[in-house]
Amino acid sequence: MLTVTVLAVAVILAFLLDRLLGEPRRLHPLVGFGNLAMWLERRCNWWRGSESVGRLVLGGLAWLLLVVPLPLMIALVWFSGELSLLAEILLAVIALYLSIGWQSLREHGLSVVEAFSREGLEAAREQVSRIVSRDTDAMDESAVSRATIESMLENGSDAIFAPFFWFILAGPAGAVMYRLANTLDAMWGYRTERYAAFGFVSAKLDDLLNWAPARLTALSYALLGHTATALRCWKQQAADCASPNGGPVMCSGAGGLGIELGGGAYYHGQWQSRPTMGAGRAAVIRDINRSIQLVDKTVMLWIGSWLTVWIVIWVKGSVFL
């Protein structure tokens, strides 16, 4: 019961820290991890043939080398029984705080809204180009809105709710393991000649780690929005999406907001057809704020649900004691 209490206190403190301070502006550990990953990839991704088994094996070994050691060390320390109560709380808070990006995600979305309000469409395009990989030069208001909202909804799952899920399930080591694995997927998980085989393990393991939290996020978006529409969109549209986890999250979120997302877009000068997600009217700039509010409400729902579970465990434990 003490460990559950530590996790409950850590959730509150970590999310408060993130909301007040955002991500560290300097010396973020993930920046160093990303640099290490790039260095290792340049030295391991050498096997001839973009689809070769050799590249796949080397990519898997590189993943293990980068992702496993730190969470393993954290787990050994966490379960050693040698930490004081204060040290346990500090370790848990720091691990979760550095693994989530709630305030950073909000700032990215709000920057698009503020740029559009102050300087117009061109400024909004510039801001959205910082958070999406698609071409933004010819975007109209609806396209800017769709791109931003899709990023808010999908990254809400990746950057907030998945690390939260693994923190509750496996403690500080779980949150750190997820964040490292997700970072590698963002770097290596591309179907390009360079990464198709080398990043295969990274992409598949990220899909696996995100499977449960993505669907819990999709369910949360549905419960906090137009529930019936969100569930219908999730059921009917998610299978057509390229991402097995992003599909449920974005389809449910768009349906919950009562807007349409998706549709074709240019990526590096190439037109890519994408399925429609959600139902209702076309997205506009004001819907970006609505998507941020949906993510915020989902954060409150998850924290409230976890604290409720903690209270039930604490009360039952007190009764039996």
CSV table of all heavy atoms in Angstrom, one decimal, residues 6 11 19 53 56 61 71 73 88 90 110 117 122 224 235 265 320:
chain,number,residue,atom,x,y,z
A,6,VAL,N,3.0,6.2,-2.7
A,6,VAL,CA,4.1,7.0,-3.3
A,6,VAL,C,3.8,7.3,-4.8
A,6,VAL,O,4.0,8.4,-5.2
A,6,VAL,CB,5.4,6.1,-3.3
A,6,VAL,CG1,6.5,6.8,-4.1
A,6,VAL,CG2,5.9,6.0,-1.8
A,11,VAL,N,2.3,11.2,-8.9
A,11,VAL,CA,1.4,11.6,-10.1
A,11,VAL,C,1.0,13.1,-9.9
A,11,VAL,O,1.2,13.9,-10.8
A,11,VAL,CB,0.2,10.7,-10.2
A,11,VAL,CG1,-0.9,11.4,-11.1
A,11,VAL,CG2,0.6,9.4,-10.8
A,19,ARG,N,2.9,21.2,-15.5
A,19,ARG,CA,2.0,22.2,-15.8
A,19,ARG,C,2.6,23.6,-15.5
A,19,ARG,O,2.4,24.6,-16.3
A,19,ARG,CB,0.7,22.0,-15.0
A,19,ARG,CG,-0.4,23.0,-15.4
A,19,ARG,CD,-1.0,22.7,-16.8
A,19,ARG,NE,-2.1,23.6,-17.2
A,19,ARG,CZ,-2.0,24.8,-17.6
A,19,ARG,NH1,-0.8,25.3,-17.8
A,19,ARG,NH2,-3.1,25.5,-17.9
A,53,VAL,N,18.1,-8.9,-43.2
A,53,VAL,CA,17.9,-9.4,-41.9
A,53,VAL,C,19.0,-8.9,-41.0
A,53,VAL,O,18.8,-8.6,-39.8
A,53,VAL,CB,17.9,-11.0,-41.9
A,53,VAL,CG1,17.9,-11.5,-40.5
A,53,VAL,CG2,16.8,-11.5,-42.7
A,56,LEU,N,17.9,-5.6,-39.6
A,56,LEU,CA,16.9,-5.8,-38.6
A,56,LEU,C,17.5,-6.3,-37.2
A,56,LEU,O,17.1,-5.7,-36.2
A,56,LEU,CB,15.9,-6.8,-39.1
A,56,LEU,CG,14.6,-7.0,-38.3
A,56,LEU,CD1,13.5,-7.4,-39.2
A,56,LEU,CD2,14.8,-8.1,-37.2
A,61,LEU,N,19.3,-5.1,-31.6
A,61,LEU,CA,20.3,-5.0,-30.6
A,61,LEU,C,20.5,-3.6,-30.1
A,61,LEU,O,20.8,-3.3,-29.0
A,61,LEU,CB,21.6,-5.6,-31.2
A,61,LEU,CG,21.6,-7.1,-31.4
A,61,LEU,CD1,22.9,-7.6,-32.1
A,61,LEU,CD2,21.4,-7.9,-30.1
A,71,PRO,N,16.1,1.8,-17.4
A,71,PRO,CA,15.0,1.3,-16.7
A,71,PRO,C,15.3,0.2,-15.8
A,71,PRO,O,14.7,0.0,-14.7
A,71,PRO,CB,14.0,0.9,-17.8
A,71,PRO,CG,14.4,1.7,-18.9
A,71,PRO,CD,15.9,1.8,-18.9
A,73,MET,N,18.2,-0.4,-14.2
A,73,MET,CA,18.8,0.2,-13.0
A,73,MET,C,17.8,0.8,-12.1
A,73,MET,O,17.9,0.7,-10.9
A,73,MET,CB,19.9,1.1,-13.4
A,73,MET,CG,21.2,0.5,-14.0
A,73,MET,SD,22.5,1.7,-14.3
A,73,MET,CE,21.9,2.6,-15.7
A,88,GLU,N,12.1,7.7,-2.5
A,88,GLU,CA,11.2,7.0,-3.4
A,88,GLU,C,10.3,8.0,-4.1
A,88,GLU,O,10.1,7.9,-5.3
A,88,GLU,CB,10.3,6.0,-2.6
A,88,GLU,CG,11.0,4.7,-2.3
A,88,GLU,CD,10.0,3.7,-1.8
A,88,GLU,OE1,8.8,4.0,-1.6
A,88,GLU,OE2,10.5,2.5,-1.5
A,90,LEU,N,10.9,11.2,-4.6
A,90,LEU,CA,11.7,12.0,-5.6
A,90,LEU,C,12.0,11.3,-6.9
A,90,LEU,O,11.9,11.8,-8.0
A,90,LEU,CB,13.0,12.5,-4.9
A,90,LEU,CG,12.9,13.6,-3.9
A,90,LEU,CD1,14.3,13.8,-3.2
A,90,LEU,CD2,12.5,14.9,-4.5
A,110,LEU,N,-1.4,26.1,-28.6
A,110,LEU,CA,-1.7,27.5,-28.4
A,110,LEU,C,-0.9,28.4,-29.3
A,110,LEU,O,-1.4,29.5,-29.6
A,110,LEU,CB,-1.5,27.8,-26.9
A,110,LEU,CG,-2.5,27.2,-25.9
A,110,LEU,CD1,-2.1,27.4,-24.5
A,110,LEU,CD2,-3.9,27.7,-26.2
A,117,SER,N,-4.3,34.5,-34.6
A,117,SER,CA,-5.0,35.6,-34.1
A,117,SER,C,-4.3,36.9,-34.3
A,117,SER,O,-4.9,38.0,-34.6
A,117,SER,CB,-5.3,35.4,-32.6
A,117,SER,OG,-6.1,34.3,-32.4
A,122,GLU,N,-0.4,33.0,-42.5
A,122,GLU,CA,1.0,32.7,-42.8
A,122,GLU,C,1.8,32.4,-41.5
A,122,GLU,O,2.6,31.4,-41.5
A,122,GLU,CB,1.6,33.8,-43.5
A,122,GLU,CG,3.1,33.6,-44.0
A,122,GLU,CD,3.1,32.4,-45.0
A,122,GLU,OE1,2.2,32.3,-45.8
A,122,GLU,OE2,4.1,31.7,-45.0
A,224,LEU,N,-15.6,12.0,-22.8
A,224,LEU,CA,-15.6,13.4,-22.5
A,224,LEU,C,-16.1,14.3,-23.6
A,224,LEU,O,-16.1,15.5,-23.5
A,224,LEU,CB,-14.2,13.9,-22.1
A,224,LEU,CG,-13.7,13.2,-20.8
A,224,LEU,CD1,-12.2,13.5,-20.7
A,224,LEU,CD2,-14.4,13.8,-19.6
A,235,LYS,N,-15.0,2.8,-34.3
A,235,LYS,CA,-15.3,1.5,-34.8
A,235,LYS,C,-15.2,1.4,-36.3
A,235,LYS,O,-14.7,0.5,-36.9
A,235,LYS,CB,-16.7,1.1,-34.3
A,235,LYS,CG,-17.1,-0.3,-34.8
A,235,LYS,CD,-18.5,-0.7,-34.3
A,235,LYS,CE,-18.9,-2.0,-34.8
A,235,LYS,NZ,-20.3,-2.4,-34.3
A,265,ALA,N,-2.9,15.0,-47.8
A,265,ALA,CA,-1.9,16.1,-47.5
A,265,ALA,C,-0.6,15.8,-48.2
A,265,ALA,O,-0.3,14.7,-48.6
A,265,ALA,CB,-1.7,16.2,-46.0
A,320,PHE,N,-8.5,-3.9,6.8
A,320,PHE,CA,-7.9,-5.2,7.1
A,320,PHE,C,-6.8,-5.1,8.1
A,320,PHE,O,-6.4,-6.1,8.8
A,320,PHE,CB,-7.4,-5.8,5.8
A,320,PHE,CG,-8.5,-6.4,5.0
A,320,PHE,CD1,-8.8,-5.8,3.8
A,320,PHE,CD2,-9.3,-7.4,5.4
A,320,PHE,CE1,-9.9,-6.2,3.0
A,320,PHE,CE2,-10.3,-7.9,4.6
A,320,PHE,CZ,-10.6,-7.3,3.4
